[in-house]
Amino acid sequence: MATPTPRLPTPRHKLLGRLSLPERRFVADALRTETVGGVLLLVAAIAALMWANIPAVSASFDTVRSFHIGPAALGLDLSLQHWAADGLLAVFFFVAGIELKRELVAGDLRDPKAAALPVIAAICGMAVPALVYLLVNTLGNGSTSGWAVPTATDIAFALAVLAVIGTSLPSALRAFLLTLAVVDDLFAILIIAVFFTSDLNFAALGGAVAGLVLFWFLLRAGVRGWYVYVPLALVVWGLMYNSGVHATIAGVAMGLMLRCTRQDGEEHSPGEHIEHLVRPLSAGLAVPLFALFSAGVSLSDESIAQVFTRPETLGVVLGLVVGKAVGIFGGTWLAARFTRAELNEDLAWPDVLAVASLAGIGFTVSLLIGELAFAGDEVLTDEVKAAVLIGSLVAAIVASVMLKLRDRKYRALTEAEERDEDRDGIPDIYEQENPDYHLRMARIHEEKAAEHRRRAEAVALARGSDAAPAAGEAAGGSSARADRPA
């Protein structure tokens, strides 16, 4: 009777495994720009707080952000604060739309198995903060209108925190954070579109939809030229603003229409090319200016105390600090538990908890949703903004402590990912299955070994020529020592 062949165990899927080389390069480029933008965002937020809280200049802050400009006949006579929130943030959401499209057609979200982790983690990371907010306000008899405020993650601010504390995350964790933020942005867009749409102007909405259809048709027809698309985009944005749907939705829609797959002969897809051009404008100008006009809130002792006693503001703080960490960590653990996947052996669950805590920094979109949720109540709006700032600060501090505890491990992993001993432009960790790489390394080590042998022979010859004087010196030294008195 034949002995049955033993069945080999099926390899288990890895959570937060190594990225492919193209994906790693894309993530590195995207995060590099976001980090610079995050530092500018941090500077803008600090400037806004100083401007709003220094008595000598605080009055001018309200004067400047309330200054109206724009054609009233087109319904666009807006304050500078509204231009920043509705206009400049449309650029931010345009980039978010391109990122989402790219992830869906060429990135991690293209593969359902790979997409499961960030999608589950992002959903849990939005649901739990919302539940925390609702629980606090139900028990405290507060307003439930702000349930969506603590659901957002600000990737740029999170990366700025990493830059300030001087730590480097391995590429798998950086990609996880970036993909989380992309999915997070998608649900934030849906929340804004569904829950914060005022009375609809169907004529303006129909015009906006017609403009988007024309935008899509021109793209498919291969029409090129910024002088075609920029004016059309401005018209679509203006119509969307007047329709009652939040104007940033126009930016998202146009971003999603761009082609993000490469064709023969293309080094970059149109979406990637436009994102490369527009991302610096978004990260370096649009978002910092929004922060400058939206983050300026009074932070007196009384207002800070109010953050921890009023249910609306306490719900925001706890949602960002506790809800985000518990939601993302719990979602990741559940994804591993029910898909029978294993965590990357180079990482540990505390690493996931640290990134989940870092995602509690919910600056830009949280401020925007706070303005929309409590429109008409200026005092409560400012208190909720203060809660967003304090909650994001606490989340940043908690995440920084946890990340610094693992900093040595992260640096070792990052150095291993970037090591390129054969200097061919490809990290060595990606060439372990390439025979040519090992032959190149063998030649490099043989050349190094030959050089060391030559140096050893030179040292030996030098020592041999110095042997006689050295012996004489030794003899002289012995005689001199012998002549010394005891």
Side-chain angles (χ1 to χ4, degrees):
M1 182 176 178
T3 304
T5 304
R7 296 180 63 183
L8 297 176
T10 304
R12 299 177 69 178
H13 175 63
K14 293 288 185 183
L15 289 181
L16 305 179
R18 186 190 308 159
L19 303 178
S20 66
L21 184 58
E23 186 70 10
R24 181 181 181 275
R25 286 173 171 168
F26 173 82
V27 169
D29 290 341
L31 295 186
R32 192 177 299 114
T33 304
E34 290 286 3
T35 301
V36 175
V39 173
L40 293 176
L41 178 60
L42 185 59
V43 171
I46 294 172
L49 289 171
M50 293 177 63
W51 194 0
N53 286 277
I54 296 176
V57 296
S58 59
S60 65
F61 179 74
D62 287 329
T63 301
V64 171
R65 70 175 178 175
S66 301
F67 180 76
H68 277 62
I69 188 173
L74 299 177
L76 297 175
D77 182 19
L78 309 177
S79 67
L80 291 180
Q81 183 177 3
H82 276 100
W83 275 113
D86 295 321
L88 292 178
L89 278 194
V91 179
F92 166 79
F93 279 104
F94 174 70
V95 174
I98 299 175
E99 288 178 336
L100 177 60
K101 178 68 173 290
R102 186 198 168 276
E103 288 291 333
L104 289 171
V105 301
D108 286 345
L109 300 182
R110 176 185 56 179
D111 179 7
K113 290 184 179 179
L117 173 62
V119 170
I120 293 172
I123 291 174
C124 294
M126 298 186 80
V128 175
L131 291 174
V132 169
Y133 179 92
L134 291 173
L135 178 63
V136 171
N137 281 271
T138 300
L139 296 176
N141 295 320
S143 171
T144 58
S145 300
W147 63 270
V149 175
T151 60
T153 293
D154 194 312
I155 181 67
F157 218 131
L159 294 172
V161 170
L162 292 178
V164 169
I165 66 175
T167 190
S168 178
L169 289 179
S171 61
L173 287 179
R174 284 181 286 166
F176 179 57
L177 184 61
L178 180 61
T179 309
L180 265 179
V182 171
V183 179
D184 200 287
D185 287 342
L186 168 62
F187 287 104
I189 291 161
L190 294 175
I191 288 172
I192 291 171
V194 174
F195 295 99
F196 297 106
T197 294
S198 57
D199 296 335
L200 290 176
N201 180 331
F202 287 100
L205 182 59
V209 172
L212 289 172
V213 171
L214 177 59
F215 189 91
W216 179 86
F217 177 78
L218 293 174
L219 287 173
R220 293 301 174 270
V223 176
R224 297 186 178 184
W226 64 268
Y227 45 83
V228 174
Y229 292 101
V230 172
L232 178 57
L234 292 175
V235 170
V236 170
W237 175 86
L239 289 168
M240 190 70 76
Y241 177 83
N242 283 284
S243 73
V245 178
H246 199 271
T248 54
I249 302 302
V252 176
M254 287 183 279
L256 287 170
M257 289 181 184
L258 295 176
R259 177 169 59 82
C260 292
T261 53
R262 300 176 189 178
Q263 295 180 349
D264 293 341
E266 288 184 340
E267 185 177 354
H268 302 287
S269 68
E272 291 171 327
H273 177 66
I274 293 173
E275 181 186 10
H276 180 73
L277 294 176
V278 179
R279 186 186 286 274
L281 175 64
S282 169
L285 180 65
V287 176
L289 280 178
F290 168 77
L292 182 65
F293 290 118
S294 293
V297 295
S298 174
L299 291 180
S300 63
D301 294 341
E302 183 179 352
S303 64
I304 293 175
Q306 191 87 342
V307 167
F308 295 99
T309 56
R310 186 160 184 164
E312 293 88 351
T313 51
L314 181 60
V316 170
V317 173
L318 292 178
L320 289 171
V321 177
V322 178
K324 271 290 183 182
V326 172
I328 293 174
F329 180 83
T332 306
W333 185 86
L334 287 173
R337 175 71 176 81
F338 289 104
T339 61
R340 299 184 60 81
E342 290 180 342
L343 188 66
N344 181 356
E345 60 273 7
D346 291 331
L347 302 174
W349 284 109
D351 300 321
V352 179
L353 182 60
V355 172
S357 298
L358 192 65
I361 300 172
F363 190 77
T364 304
V365 179
S366 290
L367 290 177
L368 175 62
I369 294 178
E371 291 181 357
L372 298 173
F374 299 103
D377 190 339
E378 188 174 342
V379 174
L380 183 53
T381 298
D382 282 349
E383 289 176 352
V384 167
K385 287 182 179 180
V388 170
L389 295 174
I390 292 172
S392 297
L393 177 62
V394 174
I397 293 172
V398 172
S400 297
V401 171
M402 289 192 287
L403 291 170
K404 290 303 281 185
L405 291 175
R406 296 274 291 170
D407 189 51
R408 182 178 297 179
K409 176 69 172 179
Y410 295 152
R411 290 187 183 279
L413 290 174
T414 302
E415 289 173 3
E417 289 176 354
E418 295 176 351
R419 187 175 296 118
D420 183 18
E421 289 189 296
D422 61 341
R423 298 180 182 179
D424 65 343
I426 300 175
D428 296 340
I429 199 169
Y430 289 95
E431 296 194 280
Q432 297 305 308
E433 304 300 323
N434 182 2
D436 292 337
Y437 160 76
H438 293 289
L439 292 174
R440 287 196 300 272
M441 290 304 301
R443 286 194 296 271
I444 290 171
H445 287 299
E446 287 167 1
E447 290 171 359
K448 287 182 178 180
E451 176 63 22
H452 283 294
R453 279 193 290 270
R454 286 193 296 270
R455 291 185 180 185
E457 292 170 359
V459 170
L461 287 174
R463 285 183 175 178
S465 62
D466 291 341
E473 290 172 4
S478 300
S479 174
R481 284 193 297 270
D483 293 340
R484 291 176 185 169

